[in-house]
Amino acid sequence: TTDDLLSPSSITCDVVLNAWARTRTAEGAARAEQILERMEYLRMSGNVKIQPTSYSFATVISAWAKTRPDRDNKTANAERAQSILKRMNDFRRSMSRSNDDRDQEYGNQLYPDAVVYNAVLDAWARSRDPIAGTRAEELLLEMEQLQKQDGKLTPDTITYNSIINCHASSRHINAAKKAETVLKKMETARKNGAKNVSPNTLTYNQVLKTYSKCNVKGSAQRADMILRYMLQSGIEDIRPDVISFSTCLDVWAKSKEPGKAEKAYNILKKMIEFHELTGSDQMKPNQVTYNTVLNACAFSAFTEATEKKQAMRIAVNLFNEMQKSDVKPDAITYGMMIKCIANLMPRGEVRNKMASGLFNNAKEKGLVNGLVFDEIRRAIPGANMGGLLKDCFRNNKKKKPLSEMMLRDLPRSWKANVVEAKPKRKKTKKKKEEPNAVEKLEPVPIKPMRRIVESSWQSGRDV
């Protein structure tokens, strides 16, 4: 009949669930969960036309996983996703225990697969909570127990990679050791002939990322050993890429190991050599790679005089190599070079001349960002800054003191080629409309000022 054709079905509800899940908002995930609860209630009431499918549960779990975590409660989304997974297993078991053959068949169709568990693991990784790694290990144990029971659920490479990512994002003091334990388990499974569990380049990069995040004693040496194994293993699936080298360089840059500038420079040379040998574009160094080595040089400040000189020599050689190569210096490069001068060179005419030359070069190329402007004021005395900023004083009608000048006061041509990160939009609370208020024309919105956002590998502020 016409009514039967127009009545909603499980497919209709799944489409609506997917629409709410795609909003990637807490409201959308909550609305999707409400629809799922209604579908469960209807099925328990005997309605076989509208019943939650494995896709329904997976969609709602994914909705919570992809929602941005709340600042005040970072684990809320992950806990919601895990609670829905538990509800899915409970609902499946209740259907399987039924005396009705149709209910038993329906319960078998609700069996969660690795994709569902991986979505929950992704939610824990996004939470960046210290307990994320522990919760991930608990989920893996649950998957392994289900695998032993009936063999339907099998953890795959994505599962193990997600667990390592949970450890990396947790920043726990033992995160790196636990990540390596997971990696060894994957290696053992691969040697035993497991087809769906085989570590790849992403796996090793996640372990390197864990060492970069936790930054415990010996992290740099361990990361170096992992990178060396990736290079020498001869296994195509774990061949290092630019992320592997950059992450290992980041570990060295953040470490307090002596000679870290020279070690980072040697890793970069090894990367260039490997790129020339293989011809792979994934091996080609980029600006991030070079800037990370400069970061290691800049933070060799609290070392002996000989090591400072060596770090400064490496920084100069690296900058000259960049100018001759396809990878040209960017604003971060100039900022890090001036930081190297400020940290490693004694005050005097030579230091002032080198820093001023770099700043003038950055001006001409339109590469003056916040880092460059901050470091030049730290590198040279205030008396010398007047000559560098003379163009600003001509256009400065209010004649601001040098100490009060900001990046926005500089000429636009100096910042023309700076690649900036997009500022995050702040949520504003809507004002309640007053009753019987006179309607007013809305003013034209003013565009927010552009901000320069620096990451750890750019400024090294977390070192």
Side-chain angles (χ1 to χ4, degrees):
T1 62
T2 307
D3 292 340
D4 293 334
L5 291 173
L6 294 176
S7 61
S9 63
S10 297
I11 297 175
T12 311
C13 294
D14 285 345
V15 171
V16 178
L17 285 174
N18 189 43
W20 279 113
R22 285 177 176 271
T23 62
R24 298 198 174 192
T25 61
E27 181 187 358
R31 292 296 295 271
E33 187 174 351
Q34 288 174 358
I35 296 171
L36 178 65
E37 290 174 355
R38 182 64 178 170
M39 293 173 73
E40 290 180 74
Y41 172 78
L42 290 172
R43 181 61 180 83
M44 294 297 290
S45 302
N47 190 336
V48 295
K49 289 185 178 180
I50 301 179
Q51 57 186 10
T53 62
S54 58
Y55 178 81
S56 308
F57 284 99
T59 303
V60 180
I61 289 171
S62 179
W64 281 114
K66 293 179 180 179
T67 301
R68 181 178 294 178
D70 188 7
R71 290 182 181 179
D72 299 329
N73 189 1
K74 294 181 179 180
T75 62
N77 295 349
E79 288 170 352
R80 290 304 308 157
Q82 190 161 345
S83 68
I84 294 167
L85 173 62
K86 182 179 181 302
R87 212 164 74 207
M88 180 181 184
N89 282 320
D90 293 342
F91 192 69
R92 172 180 61 83
R93 293 188 187 101
S94 66
M95 289 289 106
S96 300
R97 287 193 294 264
S98 175
N99 296 325
D100 192 338
D101 293 340
R102 290 185 303 175
D103 288 345
Q104 292 180 5
E105 183 181 355
Y106 169 64
N108 292 331
Q109 294 174 357
L110 283 178
Y111 208 96
D113 57 6
V115 176
V116 176
Y117 275 88
N118 293 344
V120 180
L121 289 169
D122 184 48
W124 279 112
R126 288 171 182 264
S127 72
R128 298 181 181 179
D129 194 82
I131 66 170
T134 305
R135 290 297 183 89
E137 295 280 1
E138 291 172 356
L139 283 169
L140 176 62
L141 182 62
E142 183 180 320
M143 293 179 74
E144 290 172 343
Q145 289 174 349
L146 289 172
Q147 185 182 15
K148 290 178 182 178
Q149 289 176 8
D150 45 31
K152 291 183 179 181
L153 178 63
T154 306
D156 55 12
T157 302
I158 298 175
T159 306
Y160 287 99
N161 287 352
S162 299
I163 294 168
I164 295 173
N165 191 28
C166 286
H167 284 302
S169 62
S170 71
R171 298 179 182 242
H172 194 274
I173 190 170
N174 295 324
K177 290 182 180 180
K178 291 182 178 180
E180 277 213 60
T181 303
V182 177
L183 174 61
K184 289 176 183 177
K185 187 183 289 188
M186 294 180 72
E187 288 286 3
T188 303
R190 180 180 61 82
K191 291 176 182 178
N192 293 336
K195 296 181 180 179
N196 59 336
V197 179
S198 180
N200 51 28
T201 302
L202 178 60
T203 311
Y204 280 85
N205 288 350
Q206 294 285 17
V207 177
L208 290 171
K209 176 186 172 183
T210 310
Y211 278 108
S212 175
K213 296 289 185 182
C214 67
N215 194 24
V216 295
K217 189 176 181 180
S219 294
Q221 289 85 350
R222 192 61 196 154
D224 197 44
M225 290 177 64
I226 293 171
L227 180 63
R228 197 182 305 121
Y229 174 75
M230 295 175 73
L231 286 166
Q232 298 174 357
S233 66
I235 302 174
E236 186 68 24
D237 290 341
I238 63 171
R239 175 183 284 187
D241 56 11
V242 65
I243 298 174
S244 311
F245 282 97
S246 297
T247 310
C248 187
L249 286 170
D250 191 46
V251 179
W252 276 103
K254 291 177 178 178
S255 72
K256 297 179 181 179
E257 301 292 337
K260 65 178 182 179
E262 187 173 2
K263 187 65 181 179
Y265 187 48
N266 290 335
I267 293 173
L268 175 60
K269 288 193 292 186
K270 190 185 298 182
M271 181 181 182
I272 296 170
E273 180 184 347
F274 201 71
H275 167 64
E276 292 174 351
L277 183 66
T278 60
S280 173
D281 291 336
Q282 293 182 340
M283 292 287 103
K284 188 176 181 180
N286 54 24
Q287 290 168 330
V288 176
T289 315
Y290 282 95
N291 292 340
T292 308
V293 180
L294 288 175
N295 190 35
C297 295
F299 284 94
S300 299
F302 302 103
T303 56
E304 297 179 359
T306 53
E307 189 172 337
K308 282 185 182 180
K309 289 181 180 179
Q310 178 66 6
M312 191 64 224
R313 192 179 298 112
I314 290 171
V316 173
N317 292 339
L318 192 64
F319 185 78
N320 293 333
E321 288 174 14
M322 286 187 73
Q323 290 183 313
K324 296 176 183 178
S325 69
D326 297 336
V327 185
K328 299 301 179 184
D330 61 358
I332 304 299
T333 311
Y334 279 99
M336 293 307 302
M337 272 302 299
I338 300 174
K339 184 188 283 286
C340 288
I341 294 170
N343 289 358
L344 304 174
M345 293 187 67
R347 295 183 182 277
E349 189 62 30
V350 178
R351 168 170 157 166
N352 296 344
K353 187 176 180 181
M354 286 184 65
S356 300
L358 282 168
F359 185 76
N360 286 326
N361 198 354
K363 278 165 48 178
E364 293 173 3
K365 295 185 177 181
L367 293 174
V368 177
N369 66 352
L371 179 63
V372 174
F373 191 50
D374 290 341
E375 293 302 326
I376 191 62
R377 288 186 289 186
R378 202 166 64 86
I380 65 175
N384 296 56
M385 283 296 297
L388 294 176
L389 303 178
K390 56 186 178 182
D391 293 338
C392 299
F393 293 125
R394 291 173 185 172
N395 301 327
N396 190 0
K397 297 179 181 179
K398 296 182 180 179
K399 294 184 179 180
K400 280 186 179 180
L402 184 62
S403 58
E404 295 181 9
M405 289 195 68
M406 301 177 69
L407 183 66
R408 62 170 175 260
D409 298 320
L410 303 182
R412 290 185 179 179
S413 59
W414 294 10
K415 305 169 284 184
N417 298 318
V418 175
V419 179
E420 301 170 346
K422 294 181 179 179
K424 295 180 180 179
R425 295 181 180 179
K426 293 184 179 180
K427 294 182 179 179
T428 55
K429 295 182 179 180
K430 294 181 179 179
K431 295 182 179 179
K432 295 181 179 180
E433 294 182 2
E434 297 179 3
N436 301 325
V438 180
E439 187 176 357
K440 298 180 181 179
L441 292 173
E442 294 184 358
V444 178
I446 300 173
K447 293 183 179 180
M449 290 178 60
R450 294 189 295 175
R451 296 182 297 168
I452 296 173
V453 181
E454 298 170 7
S455 301
S456 60
W457 54 266
Q458 296 171 329
S459 65
R461 287 176 180 171
D462 63 335
V463 181

